[in-house]
């Protein structure tokens, strides 16, 4: 038995219903493309007035303070809000949400945005190091703000390093934005905690940075994995009939993956562990991308 067969595989319960196509992967890649944060052009300059409205208790947790004018348009009345997990404040033309507790129930973050009239569903999720403090996934609907700006992320104080004392993740939303959003922001993972962002393990800052895995055999990739002191788990994928997309079938995850199987992508699973997306046979084209894998760039 080779060493590969003794390594853990992706759990069945994590695979149910998963499917992907080249178009979906391309859209996800564009949404989660790695950018320097805070993102540029996220702030504007519209006027705002303030009036203290008071404070209320939140289920025995920290008090939530709401500050705002009597009327501030259709989206709501508050210009600031605070609970045990998040502080939100309107600064100029931008709502700045400071995440005080990155391990809180995500409903607390969404509660804060709702209080200031924003339909933002925010989750703070364990992420691979390059994505800590950054937007690791986002779904949007509805129009952008009048100045064309959308949702961004950063740190407070600006430019600090996440993980250092006094450094917090921030999320910015233009005041004039009226859409709906589901946003995932990365936080540092706890020991042995699985990442919840989808990151190519070959990109800058990831565990297999600079190494080409696609269309190599499992044995070839494992040699590099071991050389870097890492481990691997496997996700056996089922290509679409035209090889333009793939699915994941639970019953195939128990297959004995051999060194001659083919790797189509590597993703960051958790600290020290990469996930290899594999098929038993070599295919005419990469089913994950419907063709050649895009270059690993920093943008």
């Amino acid at each position: 038995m080779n060493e590969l067969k003794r390594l853990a595989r992706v759990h069945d319960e994590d695979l149910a219903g998963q499917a992907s196509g080249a178009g979906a992967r391309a859209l996800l890649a564009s949404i989660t493309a790695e950018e320097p944060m805070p993102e540029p052009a996220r702030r504007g300059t519209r006027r705002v007035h303030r009036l203290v409205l008071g404070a209320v208790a939140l289920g025995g947790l920290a008090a939530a303070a709401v500050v705002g004018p009597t009327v501030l348009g259709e989206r709501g009345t508050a210009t600031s809000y605070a609970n045990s997990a998040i502080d939100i404040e309107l600064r100029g033309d931008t709502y700045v949400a400071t995440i005080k507790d990155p391990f809180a129930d995500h409903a607390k973050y969404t509660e804060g945005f709702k209080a200031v009239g924003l339909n933002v569903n925010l989750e703070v999720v364990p992420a691979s190091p390059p994505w800590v403090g950054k937007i690791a996934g986002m779904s949007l609907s509805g129009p952008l703000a009048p100045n064309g700006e959308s949702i961004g992320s950063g740190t407070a104080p600006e430019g600090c390093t996440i993980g250092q004392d006094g450094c917090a993740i921030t999320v910015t939303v233009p005041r004039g934005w009226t859409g709906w959003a589901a946003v995932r922001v990365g936080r540092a993972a706890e020991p042995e905690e699985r990442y919840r962002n989808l990151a190519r393990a070959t990109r800058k800052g990831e565990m297999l940075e600079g190494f080409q895995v696609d269309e190599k055999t499992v044995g070839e990739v494992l040699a590099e994995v071991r050389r870097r002191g890492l481990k691997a788990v496997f996700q056996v994928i089922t290509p679409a009939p035209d090889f333009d997309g793939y699915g994941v079938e639970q019953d195939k995850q128990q297959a004995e993956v051999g060194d001659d199987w083919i790797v189509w992508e590597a993703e960051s699973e958790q600290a020290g562990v990469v996930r290899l997306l594999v098929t038993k046979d070599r295919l005419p084209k990469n089913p994950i991308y419907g063709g050649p894998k895009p270059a690993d760039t920093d943008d």
Side-chain angles (χ1 to χ4, degrees), residues 65-67 72 74-82 87-90 95-97 109-120 173 175 177:
V66 182
V67 183
L72 200 146
E74 298 178 358
R75 299 289 295 179
T77 62
T79 61
S80 68
Y81 180 88
D87 284 340
I88 302 178
E89 181 182 8
L90 183 61
Y95 282 98
V96 179
Y109 311 129
T110 300
E111 172 187 279
F113 283 108
K114 183 177 180 180
V116 296
L118 296 170
N119 195 357
V120 176
V173 184
R175 179 187 177 189
W177 186 75

Side-chain angles (χ1 to χ4, degrees), residues 178-287:
T178 59
W180 171 90
V183 181
R184 284 186 171 186
V185 175
R187 62 162 173 81
E190 294 285 274
E192 299 186 5
E193 187 177 20
R194 293 178 62 188
Y195 301 140
R196 288 185 59 197
N197 65 310
L198 182 64
R200 296 180 196 166
T202 54
R203 294 190 68 167
K204 183 177 180 180
E206 301 288 349
M207 290 176 282
L208 290 176
E209 176 181 349
F211 181 71
Q212 181 181 340
V213 301
D214 48 304
E215 302 192 43
K216 284 185 167 64
T217 65
V218 165
E220 290 174 313
V221 175
L222 272 184
E224 180 66 15
V225 168
R226 298 189 192 104
R227 189 185 73 81
R228 299 192 186 202
L230 306 171
K231 295 182 180 180
V233 296
F234 307 106
Q235 189 171 67
V236 181
I237 63 174
T238 301
D242 58 359
F243 308 107
D244 191 9
Y246 71 98
V248 177
E249 299 180 33
Q250 291 186 25
D251 59 354
K252 291 189 176 182
Q253 302 315 305
Q254 303 306 317
E256 294 292 338
V257 177
D259 284 347
D260 59 342
W261 287 42
I262 305 302
V263 178
W264 300 103
E265 184 58 284
E267 298 172 344
S268 296
E269 170 81 359
Q270 65 185 61
V273 182
V274 295
R275 178 172 61 252
L276 305 181
L277 279 64
V278 302
T279 59
K280 184 175 182 179
D281 301 315
R282 188 175 293 275
L283 307 175
K285 60 183 179 180
N286 191 325

Side-chain angles (χ1 to χ4, degrees), residues 4-39:
L4 177 64
K5 296 175 183 177
R6 294 196 296 269
L7 299 176
R9 287 169 170 76
V10 178
H11 297 296
D12 290 349
E13 62 268 26
D14 298 324
L15 303 173
Q18 291 192 24
S20 179
R25 297 284 298 204
L27 175 60
L28 178 61
S30 67
I31 291 172
T32 64
E34 183 175 1
E35 298 178 0
M37 294 295 182
E39 296 179 345

